[in-house]
Amino acid sequence: FSPHRYLCRLRIRKACAFLENGGYGVGQIATLTGMDPQNFARLFKRETGMTPLEYRSSRDTTKKRRFYHVLPD
């Protein structure tokens, strides 16, 4: 991976944690993770295969699979 891609993946992982824990809107999460709010959903979907809201709604207390297990190294 390029350094830019690596950094983007780290930011998406952090965004996943924010989405799982709730409390922040998608735009706020983009800003908190250092991403451009205008491109955040597109980049998130490219990396995870789902939008941030789809990711959030797919998480519940019975599901323990985390994003970093989904991405290959």
Side-chain angles (χ1 to χ4, degrees):
F1 295 110
S2 69
H4 179 265
R5 181 80 188 264
Y6 177 76
L7 180 59
C8 183
R9 291 169 71 99
L10 286 177
R11 289 175 171 168
I12 294 294
R13 287 181 181 170
K14 184 64 174 174
C16 286
F18 280 123
L19 288 165
E20 290 174 16
N21 295 327
Y24 294 104
V26 173
Q28 291 173 308
I29 292 171
T31 301
L32 288 169
T33 56
M35 300 183 81
D36 176 15
Q38 298 295 320
N39 295 319
F40 176 68
R42 181 181 56 81
L43 295 171
F44 191 94
K45 185 165 186 169
R46 184 183 71 196
E47 294 295 329
T48 66
M50 60 183 88
T51 67
L53 294 178
E54 290 170 340
Y55 183 88
R56 176 180 275 164
S57 67
S58 74
R59 303 290 131 185
D60 64 33
T61 57
T62 62
K63 294 181 181 176
K64 299 298 181 190
R65 192 177 99 189
R66 303 208 30 119
F67 172 71
Y68 48 82
H69 293 145
V70 176
L71 283 180
D73 289 326

